[in-house]
Amino acid sequence: MPELPEVESIRRTLEPLVRGRRFAAVRVLSPHCLGAPPAPEAFAAALAGRRVAGLRRRGKYLLFDLEGDGLLAVHLRMTGQLYFVPEGTPAGGDSHLHAVLALEGGGELRFRDVRKFGRLWAVAGEEELPPGYRDLGPDPLAEGFTAESLRRALVGRRAVKAVLTDQAVLSGVGNIYADEALFLAGIHPARPAASLDDREVARLWDALRQVLEEAVAAGGTTFSDYRDGLGQPGGYAPALRVYRREGQPCPRCGTLIVKARVSGRSARFCPRCQR
DNA sequence: AGATGATCCTGTATGC
DNA sequence: TGCATACAGGATCATC
């Protein structure tokens, strides 16, 4: 599930391949994957011939800035993939391939998504992206995001994990890295957000930065679907401490990791280290 | 306000 | 082996 480190890894691998290059022909195989309204002709027309000025990430969104104005935004949701292939790479009747964006000078970007939750938008400006984009909270790896910023965000009785994964509070954290950060900080995922004291908030801030930076350095986490901008899997899965490790010993105390539902989604944690 | 559940999808794993 | 069912969990929306 692409979260901040996965989307950032795609950005880093893709940027040198697309910056300064123009989109050529755009083929939409599944109009369903376009942000409303799903108009393949308008989508293709908005991109064809346009030069990519740069590639940014905001939360879990990838943003291709076009020269002049306009942008291509991509959200991969659960199983989406966006990767470059050189000229002449066969697609091989892949039923999960939904859009192909050729680049002038050779090669193409392919958008592939088994579950078809991912979305592509070609818009004139960020204000045309959906409310979920416009309401994004701060990036936890940004310079200005301090422990004090986190403390101000952790209000109310909601489970701390639900707050961490709320994109309007923090942008980019999903299930994997929320579980990992809460483990490193020794905090139970169901704790009401406002119940954390200053020491716990400081530990959680450190833990978030650590786990996100480590995961970016490793190229993200691949279980099955995630691939970077070159189609390569990430290397962080073996380093995960609790995520998808229920039944295995806690790396700190040896107690078996458990899985429970917190705010409607599964959470993995050590019942002894996380209180 | 916040929890809960359904929805969008399909591949994989499990149970009978 | 076949078939039904649960699960994965990002975002949005309806309901309580």
Side-chain angles (χ1 to χ4, degrees):
Chain A
M1 340 300 138
E3 302 181 25
L4 186 157
E6 289 73 38
V7 180
E8 179 60 22
S9 297
I10 295 172
R11 194 196 67 76
R12 291 183 181 186
T13 46
L14 227 39
E15 193 186 30
L17 295 162
V18 299
R19 170 182 283 218
R21 299 186 64 189
R22 291 179 193 275
F23 287 115
V26 173
R27 280 191 298 142
V28 177
L29 308 170
S30 303
H32 175 84
C33 294
L34 300 182
E41 302 80 9
F43 179 81
L47 297 177
R50 305 294 305 281
R51 191 191 300 274
V52 177
L55 186 52
R56 286 184 290 144
R57 175 186 63 77
R58 188 147 174 243
K60 302 173 192 172
Y61 288 79
L62 265 179
L63 304 165
F64 294 73
D65 286 306
L66 304 177
E67 244 175 50
D69 59 352
L71 64 142
L72 166 67
V74 180
H75 196 304
L76 300 169
R77 296 280 179 93
M78 309 276 283
T79 54
Q81 302 169 337
L82 186 72
Y83 54 92
F84 175 89
V85 295
E87 184 110 44
T89 306
D94 180 356
S95 64
H96 301 306
L97 184 63
H98 305 306
V100 180
L101 293 80
L103 293 163
E104 277 185 17
E108 61 193 29
L109 286 183
R110 290 182 181 171
F111 171 70
R112 166 170 205 284
D113 189 353
V114 168
R115 291 175 70 178
K116 293 190 249 187
F117 290 168
R119 290 291 178 270
L120 310 172
W121 297 262
V123 293
E126 292 175 56
E127 66 282 356
E128 291 182 22
L129 290 173
Y133 174 82
R134 302 197 299 269
D135 295 342
L136 285 173
D139 189 297
L141 287 186
E143 286 284 324
F145 186 77
T146 63
E148 175 59 18
S149 314
L150 182 60
R151 190 190 65 76
R152 282 196 301 266
L154 294 177
V155 294
R157 280 165 300 173
R158 288 164 82 190
V160 59
K161 176 166 176 185
V163 175
L164 291 180
T165 55
D166 181 343
Q167 302 302 294
V169 174
L170 278 191
S171 57
V173 177
N175 224 25
I176 299 175
Y177 300 107
D179 277 0
E180 292 295 304
L182 287 165
F183 170 76
L184 276 186
I187 296 166
H188 193 288
R191 285 269 304 280
S195 75
L196 273 62
D197 64 28
D198 288 349
R199 275 181 44 240
E200 291 173 319
V201 172
R203 288 208 308 267
L204 183 54
W205 181 81
D206 271 336
L208 267 175
R209 308 270 290 204
Q210 181 188 329
V211 69
L212 292 172
E213 283 171 6
E214 281 177 2
V216 169
T221 299
T222 296
F223 282 104
S224 55
D225 295 287
Y226 168 68
R227 295 292 184 277
D228 69 16
L230 293 169
Q232 300 299 309
Y236 197 61
L240 294 173
R241 296 153 178 96
V242 291
Y243 184 76
R244 293 233 186 156
R245 292 203 183 278
E246 56 268 30
Q248 297 177 33
C250 164
R252 186 184 292 148
C253 78
T255 301
L256 297 187
I257 300 300
V258 299
K259 178 170 121 171
R261 291 203 87 77
V262 173
S263 297
R265 43 187 77 252
S266 50
R268 280 83 167 184
F269 58 94
C270 170
R272 181 166 174 205
C273 294
Q274 294 174 259
R275 300 289 184 173

